[in-house]
Amino acid sequence: MSGAVSYERVRDHLGRLKMDGALLALDDVLERGQKEERLPVEVLDTLLEREVNARFEKRVRTYLTLSGLPVQKRLEDFDYEAQPQVARDVIEELSTLRFLHNGENVLFLGPCGVGKTHLAIGLALKAIERGHRVYFLTLHDLVTKSRLARERNWAGRLISTILRADLFVLDELGFQPLEPGDATFLFEVVNKRYQHQKSTIVTSNKSFGQWGDTFPDTTLAVALLDRLLHHATTVNIRGESYRLKNRREAGLIGTLGASSGDEAGKPKSG
Ligand code: ADP
Ligand code: MG
């Protein structure tokens, strides 16, 4: 068989095997192999590596789309000097994703604007980039979705979707009071993830002691906390809002409204 026919056959096989990454890299890999006098097995190795890398990148893109992350915030862009309450070494340890492999949870607590969602999204992005499935929901989205799902008898499917994620991010717990059906659903989600040893990141503007106030009954709040805190890292951020701080430092506003205590109880999303 001539080289030209073999080349055509290789292209055809790669196409049929849906090895698009290898197909795209074929000419480049063959040319370099020839120029650098590589062994056939080395050329094959490079070609397969290009396919594996392309598949991984595609997976990352798909997981990013499916994750529901509202914006992309990177841990590298977090300003630790502006928020001395956040220990860089704790965040760096979390960014190794050991917590995810161990099925541990992470809780970011603090008033509006201190970077809870930023840090949660930063960790979520790290997880996606390393090939993990992430699912992000605000509590409000979870309540809306779960009501619809219960109405249409899909509750099981919604729970399965949330359970399938290697990392579930629940943003803004405590921003709204929960009705009994919503609270039970939330408990089921947290409990199932706990039983399957899968990580959850929660952000909340309420301290643990205040969580009971947003639940229809304290027993459920305690049971939920029990599951979440069994294996967990809690990051308490008691600083002031990053945006307010910046504006204040730029001389645009006074200190009014910038204290953490003022903002903590406001039922406003940050
Ligand atoms: P929270 O969820 O605690 O209400 P966010 O994470 O939404 O706060 O932060 C509000 C805004 O301020 C976001 O745009 C976020 O990226 C930014 N921000 C907050 N803290 C920091 C920080 N320490 N460094 C960089 N950006 C920050
Ligand atoms: Mg937030």
Side-chain angles (χ1 to χ4, degrees):
M1 208 189 306
S2 77
V5 175
S6 295
Y7 175 77
E8 276 303 319
R9 272 170 61 85
V10 168
R11 288 194 68 92
D12 184 49
H13 283 149
L14 290 176
R16 288 199 214 188
L17 289 168
K18 305 207 183 316
M19 293 172 71
D20 297 344
L23 190 56
L24 211 66
L26 184 63
D27 289 351
D28 180 43
V29 171
L30 287 177
E31 257 169 52
R32 272 210 233 171
Q34 211 164 23
K35 219 186 312 171
E36 294 166 15
E37 296 180 8
R38 296 283 175 103
L39 294 171
V41 71
E42 288 175 330
V43 174
L44 197 55
D45 179 43
T46 309
L47 189 70
L48 291 175
E49 191 185 19
R50 296 280 283 265
E51 173 65 25
V52 167
N53 290 346
R55 282 194 192 190
F56 184 76
E57 281 163 21
K58 190 174 170 198
R59 180 161 124 192
V60 167
R61 284 195 300 274
T62 306
Y63 283 4
L64 188 62
T65 310
L66 295 177
S67 68
L69 289 183
V71 280
Q72 292 198 24
K73 295 275 178 184
R74 311 205 67 87
L75 291 182
E76 290 76 10
D77 297 330
F78 193 78
D79 178 357
Y80 292 91
E81 273 169 35
Q83 206 56 271
Q85 295 259 322
V86 177
R88 186 193 281 266
D89 56 345
V90 172
I91 303 302
E92 279 173 359
E93 159 60 27
L94 290 171
S95 76
T96 66
L97 301 185
R98 206 195 324 231
F99 77 96
L100 190 149
H101 290 282
N102 293 338
E104 295 168 7
N105 301 324
V106 183
L107 293 100
F108 292 110
L109 306 182
C112 279
V114 294
K116 303 181 298 295
T117 304
H118 185 132
L119 291 169
I121 290 178
L123 287 175
L125 274 178
K126 282 266 176 287
I128 294 172
E129 283 162 3
R130 291 193 208 144
H132 299 286
R133 229 179 240 275
V134 169
Y135 198 44
F136 177 102
L137 285 178
T138 61
L139 180 71
H140 183 264
D141 292 341
L142 180 80
V143 166
T144 310
K145 275 182 188 287
S146 81
R147 285 185 187 169
L148 194 73
R150 277 176 281 144
E151 235 173 67
R152 303 191 180 172
N153 287 328
W154 295 340
R157 234 197 293 165
L158 179 58
I159 295 207
S160 301
T161 304
I162 298 175
L163 201 57
R164 210 176 308 128
D166 302 305
L167 176 64
F168 175 49
V169 183
L170 180 62
D171 196 26
E172 304 187 341
L173 190 70
F175 277 88
Q176 71 185 84
L178 294 167
E179 288 176 14
D182 305 329
T184 309
F185 186 86
L186 172 63
F187 176 73
E188 211 175 326
V189 166
V190 169
N191 192 39
K192 281 252 162 66
R193 290 194 64 85
Y194 172 74
Q195 285 168 347
H196 288 80
Q197 294 181 353
K198 290 200 150 185
S199 297
T200 301
I201 297 180
V202 173
T203 80
S204 178
N205 63 334
K206 299 268 193 295
S207 63
F208 296 138
Q210 296 169 318
W211 279 21
D213 304 344
T214 62
F215 278 75
D217 78 276
T218 328
T219 326
L220 207 58
V222 171
L224 188 100
L225 262 178
D226 173 69
R227 306 300 189 274
L228 279 177
L229 291 179
H230 190 194
H231 301 289
T233 301
T234 301
V235 180
N236 260 301
I237 316 174
R238 292 278 162 248
E240 68 176 311
S241 157
Y242 185 72
R243 277 176 277 195
L244 283 179
K245 182 182 160 85
N246 277 355
R247 269 184 277 163
R248 185 166 54 72
E249 282 173 1
L252 297 174
I253 50 168
T255 49
L256 188 72
S259 89
S260 60
D262 289 351
E263 287 201 294
K266 279 187 197 166
K268 199 187 149 292
S269 155

